[in-house]
Amino acid sequence: MAQWSERLRRAAIILVAGALALGALVVFGDVSFPRALAVFVCLVAGALIPWQLHDAEQARGEGIGTAPVETPVVRAVVEGMPDPAVLLDRAGRVLHFNTAAGQLAPALRKGELAQFALRSPEIITALRQAIASAEPKRTTYLDHVPVDRWMELIVTPIAVPTAFGGSDYCMLMTFHDQTPLRRVEEMRADFVANASHELRTPLAALSGFIDTLQGPAREDAKARERFLAIMHAQATRMARLIDDLLSLSRVELSAHVRPDTSVDIVTIIRQVVDGLESLAKERQVAIEIDLPTLPVTIAGDREELLRLFENLIENALKYGASGGRVIVSLVMANSTDGTPEVRVMVRDFGPGIAPEHLPRLTERFYRVDVGDSRNQGGTGLGLSLVKHILNRHRGRLLIESVLKKGATFTACFPQTKTTQNT
Ligand code: ADP
């Protein structure tokens, strides 16, 4: 506005001066009125047209930095975008940016070149290419502040009309946090690598023994018996691993569907304990059960609950065998938010688990001692499966342990139904 009034003032001075001079010439009879009028019209044109040309020129060079995109509506749209967004003119100067962008790059300032605040080479290259080609550009880069994050940047040139009917571009930069996606991708790759490794180990042992049996041990009956027993154990381990992988993927697939069948958890636990009696005998461990005589019903999936308790009790028998005792008990309690829950505790008196391992125990393939787990026929997936089954049941797993005194694994289920008789 200030620029316009200054221009009008100058044009008015020129026109008034011209009109006065022409008026004087007409009065003194030097020039006829029509001629003086024609000269005045030329003066008017001469005073106004250069300003217009200047504006048009400016609009072509940097016009997008002027009127059309600097409106409250555009500002509101940029501000309203959920992800960080920065609007630039074609020279790369910041026109608007939203709060999220301000948090991403606190050095962003209106009117300054964006690259002063967004210094990553990938951003600068993408912006230059988008400006030069007027085509959208996409890039990803690693942001280090405040924490490491994988960000995706999309630079979209947007055609905007200029003040004098032409068109130009402004650049919209939008940023998207890709870190969760990357993590999932990394986890998937790790998982495939771990699963292949776990399968390859027993497979390598099997083919090694087959070679030995076909060659040097062909006539050795004693060695054959021993090797066949090892091969049987390795094949069982592979089968178990595949079983666990399938169970895990089945539970994950149905993770969002909460089981709604009423099941008696006491019967399920008793069935698992009965099934593990022979293992308990073999490991010389006494299983003590402290369960209510009445059924305790929860909304659950029977097969999954069998797997869950089987894993917990079997782990106690395998890893806690040196304690000679395993206690399986069920209590009613309230969670921290006051919700009544059913807690099933499996306690052993074995070597326990060092505190640094506790938070990682439910990760896939995580073991405290890989060799020990393999010797026990473990796959490293048991507790991960337990956690997923509990998640599906909207429950939680508590793990407590004191080194050399044993470990207690508690499965907590929200109690949807009260204890009832059958
Ligand atoms: P695995 O197939 O190896 O048993 P799990 O996921 O069931 O896999 O258990 C992960 C690891 O947690 C085990 O390898 C073992 O090191 C440890 N662990 C599980 N239960 C116990 C326990 N009761 N006492 C000591 N360590 C345990």
Side-chain angles (χ1 to χ4, degrees):
M1 281 304 280
Q3 265 182 337
W4 271 101
S5 56
E6 175 59 20
R7 288 172 194 175
L8 279 174
R9 197 174 63 80
R10 285 191 213 165
I13 291 170
I14 293 169
L15 292 177
V16 169
L20 286 175
L22 286 170
L25 289 173
V26 171
V27 169
F28 292 112
D30 289 342
V31 180
S32 67
F33 181 73
R35 275 195 187 165
L37 192 64
V39 172
F40 185 70
V41 169
C42 289
L43 266 178
V44 169
L48 294 181
I49 286 172
W51 297 122
Q52 299 228 344
L53 287 178
H54 174 74
D55 278 352
E57 186 66 21
Q58 221 182 14
R60 250 194 308 284
E62 56 179 46
I64 43 172
T66 58
V69 289
E70 288 193 349
T71 64
V73 175
V74 176
R75 248 197 310 274
V77 169
V78 173
E79 186 53 53
M81 293 178 79
D83 284 326
V86 185
L87 190 68
L88 313 172
D89 66 16
R90 204 174 58 169
R93 273 190 300 264
V94 178
L95 297 173
H96 305 300
F97 61 92
N98 62 7
T99 314
Q103 283 162 359
L104 181 79
L108 273 175
R109 298 280 176 278
K110 268 188 162 192
E112 283 185 8
L113 289 175
Q115 66 207 53
F116 290 163
L118 297 158
R119 288 163 176 271
S120 148
E122 292 90 345
I123 300 180
I124 295 171
T125 311
L127 187 57
R128 280 206 188 123
Q129 288 175 345
I131 290 175
S133 65
E135 297 275 334
K137 290 284 162 218
R138 189 185 286 262
T139 188
T140 47
Y141 66 97
L142 186 59
D143 196 20
H144 296 288
V145 181
V147 285
D148 279 3
R149 281 182 299 174
W150 276 104
M151 300 298 294
E152 180 190 48
L153 161 69
I154 303 174
V155 188
T156 316
I158 300 173
V160 285
T162 57
F164 287 89
S167 79
D168 209 326
Y169 286 97
C170 61
M171 301 289 153
L172 179 65
M173 300 170 88
T174 45
F175 298 82
H176 313 275
D177 190 351
Q178 299 281 305
T179 320
L181 275 180
R182 286 250 176 179
R183 285 220 179 104
V184 170
E185 186 48 38
E186 275 166 19
M187 276 168 65
R188 195 194 60 78
D190 280 358
F191 177 67
V192 172
N194 277 325
S196 324
H197 176 76
E198 290 295 326
L199 281 171
R200 206 176 292 127
T201 315
L203 199 60
L206 277 179
S207 41
F209 283 119
I210 290 171
D211 286 348
T212 317
L213 285 174
Q214 284 174 333
R218 185 189 287 267
E219 309 301 336
D220 185 341
K222 249 189 175 173
R224 194 168 55 229
E225 282 310 304
R226 201 159 54 83
F227 292 163
L228 282 173
I230 299 173
M231 287 167 75
H232 183 260
Q234 295 294 349
T236 312
R237 198 177 133 206
M238 281 174 79
R240 192 165 179 183
L241 180 63
I242 291 165
D243 265 6
D244 280 359
L245 285 171
L246 288 175
S247 304
L248 205 52
S249 104
R250 255 197 309 272
V251 178
E252 274 184 329
L253 275 180
S254 55
H256 55 286
V257 191
R258 190 176 174 181
D260 57 2
T261 319
S262 282
V263 290
D264 172 20
I265 203 164
V266 177
T267 315
I268 292 176
I269 299 169
R270 285 189 197 280
Q271 187 179 335
V272 173
V273 171
D274 289 347
L276 288 170
E277 273 306 339
S278 60
L279 178 67
K281 270 208 187 93
E282 187 192 304
R283 302 290 161 109
Q284 298 177 330
V285 180
I287 305 181
E288 299 166 22
I289 47 175
D290 182 6
L291 300 171
T293 44
L294 296 177
V296 175
T297 51
I298 60 162
D301 179 313
R302 202 184 130 71
E303 288 307 312
E304 287 182 8
L305 292 174
L306 283 169
R307 281 314 282 273
L308 186 157
F309 295 122
E310 210 171 75
N311 270 302
L312 290 183
I313 301 172
E314 202 181 305
N315 275 354
L317 294 175
K318 288 189 315 193
Y319 302 109
S322 58
R325 270 173 89 196
V326 167
I327 305 175
V328 182
S329 55
L330 185 152
V331 291
M332 306 293 183
N334 278 339
S335 70
T336 40
D337 65 2
T339 323
E341 50 183 26
V342 178
R343 291 187 184 172
V344 181
M345 284 178 277
V346 179
R347 180 171 179 198
D348 69 67
F349 299 85
I353 305 159
E356 65 269 23
H357 296 293
L358 296 181
R360 300 199 57 192
L361 281 186
T362 55
E363 284 176 25
R364 290 164 190 192
F365 298 112
Y366 188 85
R367 284 109 148 195
V368 175
D369 179 336
V370 178
D372 185 24
S373 158
R374 288 205 178 128
N375 290 340
Q376 308 272 11
T379 61
L381 292 174
L383 290 178
S384 173
L385 191 58
V386 165
K387 187 187 81 177
H388 278 85
I389 294 175
L390 276 168
N391 283 350
R392 192 179 165 223
H393 285 74
R394 308 297 182 260
R396 62 206 169 97
L397 179 68
L398 306 176
I399 309 176
E400 294 152 289
S401 181
V402 178
L403 268 181
K404 300 201 175 88
K405 296 216 162 143
T408 305
F409 288 75
T410 308
C412 310
F413 301 89
Q415 199 184 5
T416 46
K417 299 211 171 162
T418 47
T419 309
Q420 60 187 35
N421 292 317
T422 42

